[in-house]
């Protein structure tokens, strides 16, 4: 009888220790996970608030800013104070890179012709050259994206703008904006899906986000074809 009691006591001590360790594990997990979860939720709420403030909405799986002018090479332009225009890359252009880890920008005062390289985005082992959609003079660059290149992906229509340019002529005003830009972006989204499926063999998404193959999966020739098709218009 004594032996049985000792065995039960031993089992009880073992189980108590096991539950204590499990409780400690859960406590440590909570200490690590809960703050990370709170930070993630706050970041998501901040991003949603920023999107609402800019009037952004989803169009055919892409973020769309109605007050921006959209160029054929998937850059956008928006009036700022004076004669300058803020310039950035739209949501489809951002699909070409899974992340942006470095940004190259021209010097203020540089003159650019339409088609000249106005920025280079690095990420995923690739570099994306961004051609100027209009001719003009660089009046400023966004130093924030030089310090934090991820802004180009996180806030591409806001704090992730690239340069300010004073256009050489007012022809930029003929670029689509508002409803016209929305219709164009829908067509470009469909064209992207066809290209990804027909040329690269990736199944297009059924609604929602566009499929964006990782740069290292598509091969050099397909990568060149993809950037040529959508960034060099």
């Amino acid at each position: 009888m004594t032996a049985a009691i000792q065995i039960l006591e031993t089992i009880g001590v073992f189980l108590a220790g096991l539950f204590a360790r499990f409780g400690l594990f859960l406590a440590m997990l909570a200490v690590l996970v809960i703050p990370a979860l709170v930070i993630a939720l706050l970041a998501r709420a901040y991003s949603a608030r920023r999107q609402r403030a800019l009037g952004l909405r989803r169009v055919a799986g892409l973020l769309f800013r109605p007050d921006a002018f959209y160029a054929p090479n998937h850059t956008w332009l928006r009036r700022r104070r004076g004669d300058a225009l803020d310039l950035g890359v739209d949501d489809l252009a951002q699909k070409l890179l899974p992340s942006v880890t470095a940004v190259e920008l021209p010097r203020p005062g540089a003159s650019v012709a339409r088609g000249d390289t106005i920025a280079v985005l690095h990420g995923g082992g690739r570099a994306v050259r961004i051609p100027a959609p209009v001719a003009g003079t660089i009046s400023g660059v966004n130093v924030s994206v030089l310090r934090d290149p991820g802004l180009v992906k996180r806030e591409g229509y806001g704090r992730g703008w690239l340069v300010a340019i004073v256009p050489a002529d007012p022809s930029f005003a003929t670029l689509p904006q508002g409803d016209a830009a929305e219709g164009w972006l829908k067509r470009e989204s469909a064209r992207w899906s066809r290209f990804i499926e027909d040329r690269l063999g990736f199944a297009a998404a059924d609604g929602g986000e566009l499929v964006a193959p990782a740069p290292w999966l598509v091969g050099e020739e397909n990568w060149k074809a993809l950037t040529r098709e959508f960034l060099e218009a």
Side-chain angles (χ1 to χ4, degrees), residues 30-94:
V31 168
L32 295 173
V33 171
I34 291 177
L37 188 60
V38 169
I39 291 171
L41 290 173
L42 289 174
R44 188 169 182 175
Y46 172 78
S47 177
R49 188 170 70 249
R50 288 280 302 174
Q51 289 183 14
R52 287 193 300 271
L54 296 175
L56 303 185
R57 64 176 186 268
R58 287 277 168 188
V59 170
L62 296 167
L63 275 178
F64 168 66
R65 181 168 181 169
D67 64 347
F69 295 95
Y70 281 75
N73 68 337
H74 289 280
T75 53
W76 57 264
L77 297 160
R78 183 174 176 273
R79 299 179 190 271
R80 57 159 43 195
R81 289 187 299 273
D83 298 327
L85 304 169
D86 284 342
L87 182 150
V89 292
D90 73 13
D91 204 32
L92 190 145
Q94 293 177 31

Side-chain angles (χ1 to χ4, degrees), residues 91-102:
D91 204 32
L92 190 145
Q94 293 177 31
K95 302 296 182 187
L96 291 167
L97 292 174
S99 62
V100 177
T101 55

Side-chain angles (χ1 to χ4, degrees), residues 90-207:
D90 73 13
D91 204 32
L92 190 145
Q94 293 177 31
K95 302 296 182 187
L96 291 167
L97 292 174
S99 62
V100 177
T101 55
V103 176
E104 297 178 40
L105 299 175
R107 292 181 179 275
S111 296
V112 294
R114 184 181 183 277
D116 286 352
T117 298
I118 206 166
V120 181
L121 309 179
H122 298 267
R126 301 282 188 176
V128 172
R129 186 183 71 87
I130 307 299
V134 295
T137 303
I138 304 299
S139 61
V141 300
N142 186 0
V143 295
S144 294
V145 299
L146 296 175
R147 293 193 297 262
D148 181 8
L151 280 174
V152 177
K153 292 282 288 185
R154 296 196 308 273
E155 297 189 43
Y157 286 114
R159 294 193 303 144
W161 61 277
L162 299 173
V163 301
I165 183 171
V166 177
D169 58 61
S171 61
F172 74 89
T174 64
L175 294 172
Q177 185 186 36
D179 291 342
E182 181 176 350
W184 173 79
L185 198 61
K186 287 178 179 178
R187 294 190 294 273
E188 285 295 280
S189 175
R191 189 166 72 92
W192 169 277
S193 294
R194 287 195 302 271
F195 188 93
I196 292 296
E197 191 164 4
D198 297 343
R199 175 67 184 261
L200 305 185
F202 289 86
D206 295 326

